[in-house]
Amino acid sequence: MPIAVYRIDERLLHGQVVVGWGRRFGIGFYVVVDDRIAETAWERDLYESALPAGVESFFLTVEDAIGQLPELEGRGDIGMALTAGTAEMRRLGEVGLLLGQEVNLGGLHATEGRERLLDYLFASSDELQDIRALGDLAGSVSARDLPGSPRVGLRRLLKTVERARP
Amino acid sequence: MKPTRSDQVASFLRCFAVQGSWNYRSLVAGGLANAMLPLLRRVYAGDPVRLRAAVERHLEPFNGHPYLCPMAVTALARLEHDGESPERIDRFRSALRAPLGAVGDELVWATWRPFCLLLSITLFWLWGRPWVAVGVFLLAYNLGHIWLRAWSFRRGWTEGLGVGKDLGDPPWARVVPWITSLNLLLIGSAVVLVSWLVAPDTLGRWGVALALAAAALLGYARPALGERLAAGLVLAAPVLLVLLGA
Amino acid sequence: MSELDLSLGLLAALVACGAALGLDAASWPQVMISRPIVAATFGGALLGDAASGFLVGAVLELLGLGHTPYGAAVYPETGPAGLLAGAGLAASGGTDIGPLLVAVASGWAIGWIGAISVRMQRRLNERLLAGGGLAAPAKRLERRHRLAMVLDALRAGTLTAAFALPVMLLVKLADGVSMIEGVVAASALLLVGMGLAGGVGVGVMRRRATDPLLLLAGGAIALAMIVTGQ
């Protein structure tokens, strides 16, 4: 399995990802799908400095990712794909890249207009729509910050929201 | 205005409390802004409106390893001092969370802390003196800890936007793989040594060795299952103990 | 079985210590006096037996090695837990397997109860920092930040006070139970549990082909040390 996890996490490459997931699964390369970062050199440098020696990273725009992900899937080592938002992941799903894949909701912070699903996961109504759509586009969708934490399935996540909204 | 020496000292000391108001909405932002205040007050001396705007900027969600947060404190203060645009500061701030978390977690939580702890346990087995073991742990660990805070505080101000260079190729890069390997050796030995210390005579040497070998293999192959089993067994043991003993 | 002697002064010392250890874990200053080996040695020393404290701390340390505070992850709060486990074992007057097991189990359980209290504290901090106006004047931010830390210390102190007596009584009870099969069965359980935890610890390490070899080599060195030391 070349790309083991597709993760939505605003923080992209950070401790939980690089150390928590990276060490547990022996991740050899990360694919960060983000239009803005792919085109800004100093931001890429900063994110890249989060990686331990020997681990590769690719920063791709959504368009480039759609073209190149199938190729990256053919690599010999294990990879992880990351998007900062739900919309980018949905785009990947819409072109059929997520069929049979696990989509992991890893972290969206609290901002205006978002409501709490879990301590590390807040979402706006647009983002909730994306997450629902991902349920059909991907093999499975669940929330989990670290590999050792309990996995919270899509149905339970959506129930939390419905309960909060009378 | 450029922060003075005493502003820097005040800010550095506040960095020790960077996680003091940790919360699920803004994470360490409260602590970050609190530690930046002595610097920001100097940078925006006589301009309460811009000071307020800056503090509000840095109350937005932020996270990073606590020992590397000093780097965020000074690098962001440097950007404010240099008059960078708020938009650029925000983008730098978001990107900075990545290496500050990843590099720090890898270096401190996954490497340096286990190393010092395991070393201390080994020393206790060798000498049987708890205060020597605890003293060596606290001294060794905190030499690294305080050095890291001071290093990141200095580098943040010097490099500003360019801190990525430092974090991508830090001074400890070559040592960490060695400590990681050493940690594995130390875990292997600490599990045996501590088990030996707590095992009663009735169990016998080979019983201990066999139980350990089987358990370590299972634990290595399935860490998540291993942890749940270990916790369950430890909690079940006293119950069983009382039932069997009664 | 000797009488359990817990004076008010001793209880106050434990609570003060628990508050400081709880504060150290995340809020201030993170010098890791909150680790089980340190906290349990403090607890043991307060009850007159630092070595027993260290031992129970070392077991808790191995059990918790896989739990690391990455990002916003939940992990056991080891300060008050280690302190009380160490104090409990020292108060029982020995390192017999029965009391040791109960001390470890108590430490483990209080660690997770502590984690729940930390989570509640962090939810409360959300409210302390919520709303605008923190930045003007910035003194308000400083006051709220300090208040959060005071509350954190109070939380850890309260946790320590609530569990001090129960833990000591429980550990003491295990001391009174005499058993032979029980000892063998329970210690086997503990050993297995710790071996598993060693494996868990490996989970935080890098996964390379040489990892198991290094682990085994470490175990072999330890066995050699034990055999030659006897």
Side-chain angles (χ1 to χ4, degrees):
Chain A
M1 45 179 208
I3 292 185
V5 190
Y6 285 78
R7 176 170 168 110
I8 300 173
D9 188 335
E10 241 165 26
R11 303 158 293 182
L12 297 168
L13 298 168
H14 65 117
Q16 285 185 355
V17 168
V18 176
V19 190
W21 289 80
R23 283 195 168 199
R24 182 64 64 89
F25 288 104
I27 305 276
F29 69 100
Y30 293 90
V31 186
V32 175
V33 183
D34 191 288
D35 287 352
R36 201 187 67 193
I37 296 172
E39 279 158 9
T40 319
W42 67 265
E43 263 181 290
R44 276 200 312 269
D45 289 348
L46 213 45
Y47 280 104
E48 250 167 12
S49 66
L51 300 177
V55 174
E56 274 191 86
S57 57
F58 302 89
F59 294 85
L60 305 173
T61 61
V62 178
E63 286 312 311
D64 289 348
I66 290 171
Q68 291 179 36
L69 271 172
E71 203 178 303
L72 288 168
E73 288 264 2
R75 281 171 60 112
D77 49 354
I78 300 172
M80 183 165 182
L82 292 152
T83 68
T86 52
E88 293 93 337
M89 191 62 82
R90 186 174 175 176
R91 282 287 308 285
L92 298 184
E94 280 165 356
V95 295
L97 281 170
L98 300 178
L99 287 172
Q101 297 282 7
E102 176 184 348
V103 172
N104 163 251
L105 304 169
L108 293 172
H109 288 311
T111 49
E112 281 295 312
R114 277 183 179 165
E115 51 190 315
R116 183 196 293 266
L117 305 183
L118 296 168
D119 278 339
Y120 56 87
L121 201 66
F122 296 73
S124 67
S125 53
D126 283 353
E127 285 164 335
L128 277 171
Q129 268 184 7
D130 290 338
I131 292 172
R132 273 197 198 93
L134 280 168
D136 299 325
L137 297 168
S140 69
V141 179
S142 61
R144 190 158 48 137
D145 52 354
L146 283 167
S149 312
R151 197 196 295 253
V152 185
L154 185 58
R155 202 177 302 167
R156 227 181 87 203
L157 277 178
L158 296 175
K159 236 181 233 164
T160 337
V161 193
E162 278 151 22
R163 232 195 339 240
R165 236 181 314 186
Chain B
M1 253 194 286
K2 197 174 169 224
T4 63
R5 185 93 190 148
S6 70
D7 298 334
Q8 289 181 25
V9 171
S11 169
F12 182 68
L13 290 178
R14 285 184 186 206
C15 285
F16 283 85
V18 73
Q19 295 197 127
S21 55
W22 207 109
N23 68 88
Y24 292 107
R25 279 184 184 270
S26 65
L27 308 155
V28 302
L32 179 82
N34 181 64
M36 286 177 75
L37 262 176
L39 305 176
L40 291 178
R41 279 191 176 123
R42 185 72 59 187
V43 168
Y44 294 115
D47 192 345
V49 177
R50 286 174 69 201
L51 172 65
R52 181 184 172 169
V55 174
E56 270 168 3
R57 224 177 348 262
H58 298 295
L59 279 170
E60 290 296 311
F62 189 84
N63 210 5
H65 191 281
Y67 298 175
L68 285 178
C69 276
M71 184 174 259
V73 167
T74 51
L76 289 167
R78 178 68 196 259
L79 263 56
E80 298 279 355
H81 172 265
D82 292 352
E84 292 282 356
S85 71
E87 200 245 338
R88 203 168 158 93
I89 294 178
D90 280 346
R91 286 176 63 173
F92 173 71
R93 206 171 167 272
S94 314
L96 194 57
R97 292 184 301 194
L100 288 195
V103 172
D105 287 356
E106 168 95 12
L107 173 68
V108 183
W109 299 152
T111 308
W112 183 241
R113 193 170 75 178
F115 171 71
C116 294
L117 288 168
L118 290 162
L119 189 70
S120 166
I121 291 175
T122 312
L123 288 181
F124 179 71
W125 193 87
L126 285 173
W127 284 314
R129 295 206 185 147
W131 290 116
V132 173
V134 165
V136 168
F137 165 71
L138 287 176
L139 195 70
Y141 178 81
N142 284 307
L143 274 177
H145 161 203
I146 311 265
W147 174 83
L148 184 60
R149 287 207 199 239
W151 176 84
S152 68
F153 191 84
R154 267 202 321 271
R155 299 307 295 169
W157 183 267
T158 317
E159 296 291 328
L161 270 180
V163 289
K165 280 199 302 285
D166 275 349
L167 293 167
D169 184 24
W172 55 83
R174 266 185 238 153
V175 198
V176 165
W178 287 100
I179 303 184
T180 306
S181 299
L182 213 54
N183 277 347
L184 284 158
L185 273 173
L186 286 171
I187 286 184
S189 78
V191 168
V192 174
L193 294 178
V194 175
S195 303
W196 197 267
L197 286 176
V198 303
D201 303 333
T202 40
L203 199 61
R205 186 175 295 168
W206 291 109
V208 175
L210 281 175
L212 274 174
L217 277 177
L218 180 59
Y220 183 76
R222 300 285 305 277
L225 175 74
E227 179 179 11
R228 274 196 288 274
L229 274 176
L233 289 175
V234 164
L235 288 177
V239 179
L240 204 80
L241 195 77
V242 173
L243 285 179
L244 282 172
Chain C
M1 187 160 54
S2 62
E3 288 298 305
L4 186 64
D5 183 21
L6 189 66
S7 67
L8 217 56
L10 189 59
L11 188 67
L14 276 173
V15 170
C17 211
L21 297 176
L23 192 66
D24 177 68
S27 291
W28 180 84
Q30 292 202 290
V31 292
M32 293 302 135
I33 49 172
S34 47
R35 290 312 301 174
I37 52 167
V38 186
T41 306
F42 281 162
L46 281 175
L47 273 290
D49 186 0
S52 299
F54 188 95
L55 192 59
V56 70
V59 179
L60 284 169
E61 201 67 72
L62 289 183
L63 284 171
L65 214 51
H67 282 282
T68 23
Y70 301 138
V74 183
Y75 49 92
E77 201 209 9
T78 52
L83 180 80
L84 292 181
L89 188 62
S92 85
T95 51
D96 279 352
I97 191 75
L100 185 92
L101 268 176
V102 178
V104 169
S106 313
W108 182 259
I110 297 171
W112 284 107
I113 295 168
I116 297 171
S117 76
V118 169
R119 192 160 171 260
M120 283 158 59
Q121 163 82 41
R122 291 176 164 187
R123 289 277 193 119
L124 182 70
N125 288 350
E126 277 177 30
R127 286 205 218 146
L128 281 181
L129 292 191
L134 269 188
K139 276 215 171 345
R140 189 174 298 159
L141 164 67
E142 292 169 312
R143 275 200 301 270
R144 296 286 174 91
H145 187 70
R146 272 199 298 271
L147 177 61
M149 292 197 281
V150 171
L151 290 175
D152 193 34
L154 285 175
R155 175 198 60 75
T158 312
L159 186 77
T160 312
F163 286 99
L165 210 56
V167 168
M168 291 200 196
L169 285 174
L170 213 63
V171 177
K172 197 84 194 158
L173 268 179
D175 193 27
V177 182
S178 92
M179 62 250 136
I180 295 169
E181 309 98 315
V183 165
V184 178
S187 48
L189 284 180
L190 180 67
L191 292 170
V192 173
M194 280 177 32
L196 288 168
V200 176
V202 177
V204 304
M205 305 298 159
R206 220 181 289 277
R207 304 218 113 194
R208 288 173 303 193
T210 49
D211 287 2
L213 292 176
L214 283 169
L215 260 183
L216 281 177
I221 293 170
L223 275 178
M225 277 160 67
I226 289 168
V227 173
T228 53
Q230 287 204 333

